[in-house]
Amino acid sequence: MTYRLSYSHHFEKGFKTLSKDEQAHVKKALAELVKDPHYSALRTKHLHSAHDLFESSANMDIRIIWHHQDDETIALLDVGHHDILKKY
């Protein structure tokens, strides 16, 4: 199964603040996320503060915050450096 992606305003805004290299890492991670959200290289895990939210790693510093919008769609909520996790 391949998931569809839904982009929030916060995700789009966060993505634009990343360098071109960091954006490339995010794009690569999203390509894996739509195929398998729990692909080992993404290091996906539940956020401790919210059981319905997940974080996945684009690289060792960049995190993608998301949740399952429905059975076919992943809603991308935020992206940024590791410290974005403090918001959640």
Side-chain angles (χ1 to χ4, degrees):
M1 171 182 192
T2 301
Y3 290 92
R4 288 179 287 161
L5 297 176
S6 168
Y7 300 87
S8 73
H9 172 72
H10 286 286
F11 182 90
E12 291 175 347
K13 186 176 175 183
F15 185 79
K16 290 178 184 177
T17 67
L18 300 174
S19 71
K20 295 294 181 195
D21 186 52
E22 291 168 335
Q23 289 179 2
H25 283 281
V26 171
K27 288 177 183 179
K28 184 177 177 181
L30 294 179
E32 294 298 335
L33 189 69
V34 297
K35 292 187 274 183
D36 180 4
H38 298 283
Y39 177 62
S40 63
L42 295 173
R43 297 181 301 281
T44 299
K45 59 186 171 188
H46 277 103
L47 287 177
H48 295 291
S49 60
H51 294 291
D52 62 334
L53 296 182
F54 295 87
E55 71 164 288
S56 295
S57 299
N59 63 24
M60 292 307 287
D61 183 40
I62 304 299
R63 299 295 184 266
I64 301 166
I65 309 299
W66 60 274
H67 71 92
H68 289 282
Q69 185 171 329
D70 57 41
D71 291 341
E72 299 174 352
T73 308
I74 291 174
L76 301 172
L77 303 177
D78 209 348
V79 64
H81 296 272
H82 190 269
D83 60 351
I84 68 164
L85 298 175
K86 294 177 185 175
K87 293 194 271 184
Y88 300 91

